[in-house]
Amino acid sequence: MLKKKRLPIGIDDFEEIVTRDYYYIDKTGMIKELLENGGKVNLFTRPRRFGKSLNMSMLKYFLEIGADKALFDGLAISQETKLCDEHMGKYPVIFVSLKTAHGRDFEQARNEMCSIIGAEAARFQFLLESDRLSEDDRQRYKKLIQVDDTGRGEFALSDATLTRSLNTLSVLLHKHYGRKVIILIDEYDVPLAKADTQGYYGEMIGLIRNMFDVALKSNASLEFAVMTGCLRVSKESIFTGLNNLKMYTLLDAECDEQFGFKDAEVRRMLEYYGLSEYYELTKEWYDGYIVGDTNVYNPWDVINWCNQLLTNPNKTPKSYWTNTSSNTELRNSSIRWATAWQRRR
């Protein structure tokens, strides 16, 4: 009897899922849709646990210079040979997740932001030796990876350096490679949601707005950017003057199949694990999200439910998604939900 693939509970790194024999539902069609129809700056808003971070990781592994083409063998995108030849492994990629950029006060949250930016910038230390950069350029890079003087090795960026960090790094990478840069920002709204509950929302939105403004607006080194989040933060408050933003909400048909599991995908998963008899119960409990023109299931619920059934076939279903964290609606009037989603039970 063949050994079944493991279920990817809590795994959001594309390479790990593919190389360590986890079950993967192919969402590489998002790459084609984005490259052919995407905007300069693309924002995807989806509920928690809908595969946003995994898809962002997938984009990074596909687009970044040095990409391992073998990761995509047998997946839908591998059939798009012209697109792969033109785009796969052709871009410098900056990838930051802001899910830990929060704290009990603004200072702590700012320090977390410095750590995130500093760690990403440190991936590119070859810039220190690049003969395509001037000495001034190298000094600008050093400021991005500067550590504090406490001996703890924490990144310490000045206000000006932090505000311009994504822009600066994109400019330096563009100079080094001679190719424009792709910026991926995952969980962009987490710092704002946390800041609102802790009372430093005004300071945090000022920082985020300024960072995004210089990185995403009139940045000659930017090829395109992709952001994900649960919330849509109003354009007036954070995306001021950003007229190149393309929104993908739950109401939009574009990329509607690339987040969440379609019915046919859930059927195949249940069949693969010998759980087909639970299809109707699974549909009753975990179907009911509508994204654009497509009915989808919450991946977190389905994966955990399958895992429980493999351990105990007599297990009764429950909502796994609601136990992951809370979605506190922000009080600040400049933030609103992109849309409401409904479960049909």
Side-chain angles (χ1 to χ4, degrees), residues 68-227:
D68 181 359
K69 296 183 178 181
L71 292 177
F72 296 88
D73 285 349
L75 298 177
I77 194 63
S78 67
Q79 303 302 311
E80 304 292 336
T81 54
K82 182 179 179 181
L83 184 145
C84 288
D85 289 343
E86 184 178 352
H87 296 284
M88 190 176 188
K90 296 295 174 40
Y91 302 93
V93 175
I94 299 170
F95 181 21
V96 294
S97 171
L98 302 187
K99 63 183 177 182
T100 62
H102 57 83
R104 63 180 178 274
D105 53 33
F106 178 69
E107 181 180 2
Q108 186 179 56
R110 184 192 179 282
N111 290 340
E112 288 295 324
M113 186 75 78
C114 289
S115 295
I116 292 166
I117 297 297
E120 178 62 6
R123 289 205 302 129
F124 307 108
Q125 294 201 33
F126 53 79
L127 292 174
L128 292 170
E129 308 297 329
S130 175
D131 58 7
R132 296 186 178 183
L133 300 187
S134 68
E135 183 57 32
D136 285 344
D137 290 332
R138 285 188 281 271
Q139 290 303 316
R140 291 166 66 199
Y141 176 72
K142 286 180 180 180
K143 291 180 179 179
L144 295 176
I145 58 173
Q146 180 175 323
V147 296
D148 60 28
D149 55 6
T150 64
R152 293 177 295 184
E154 296 177 352
F155 292 102
L157 283 64
S158 70
D159 288 344
T161 298
L162 180 58
T163 296
R164 298 195 60 83
S165 56
L166 295 175
N167 177 280
T168 298
L169 191 54
S170 64
V171 169
L172 298 179
L173 288 170
H174 186 194
K175 285 187 177 183
H176 175 79
Y177 284 111
R179 291 296 303 262
K180 291 188 177 183
V181 176
I182 292 170
I183 298 178
L184 306 176
I185 304 174
D186 194 28
E187 307 272 15
Y188 90 99
D189 55 333
V190 168
L192 299 170
K194 300 293 185 180
D196 183 78
T197 62
Q198 296 296 322
Y200 56 91
Y201 176 79
E203 293 170 293
M204 180 54 72
I205 199 169
L207 172 60
I208 297 291
R209 182 197 297 120
N210 292 337
M211 286 182 66
F212 286 5
D213 189 49
V214 294
L216 306 178
K217 177 185 175 183
S218 301
N219 181 357
S221 295
L222 179 67
E223 180 69 23
F224 67 84
V226 183
M227 297 186 291

Side-chain angles (χ1 to χ4, degrees), residues 22-82:
Y22 286 100
Y23 190 91
Y24 176 64
I25 290 180
D26 190 347
K27 297 297 179 181
T28 59
M30 176 184 175
I31 300 171
K32 182 176 187 292
E33 290 194 50
L34 190 61
L35 290 174
E36 291 184 346
N37 305 311
K40 188 73 170 182
V41 180
N42 306 273
L43 173 60
F44 292 89
T45 57
R46 294 294 187 275
R48 290 178 289 109
R49 305 294 187 177
F50 252 66
K52 298 188 297 295
S53 296
L54 177 56
N55 279 2
M56 292 288 268
S57 174
M58 173 190 70
L59 289 173
K60 173 182 178 291
Y61 282 112
F62 181 87
L63 296 165
E64 190 167 43
I65 290 172
D68 181 359
K69 296 183 178 181
L71 292 177
F72 296 88
D73 285 349
L75 298 177
I77 194 63
S78 67
Q79 303 302 311
E80 304 292 336
T81 54
K82 182 179 179 181

Side-chain angles (χ1 to χ4, degrees), residues 270-282:
L270 293 172
E271 181 180 357
Y272 176 82
Y273 288 106
L275 301 172
S276 294
E277 64 187 281
Y278 297 95
Y279 167 72
E280 293 297 338
L281 186 59
T282 302

Side-chain angles (χ1 to χ4, degrees), residues 326-338:
S326 63
N327 271 332
T328 304
E329 186 172 357
L330 299 184
R331 295 182 298 274
N332 193 302
S333 61
S334 65
I335 286 187
R336 63 181 181 272
W337 289 103

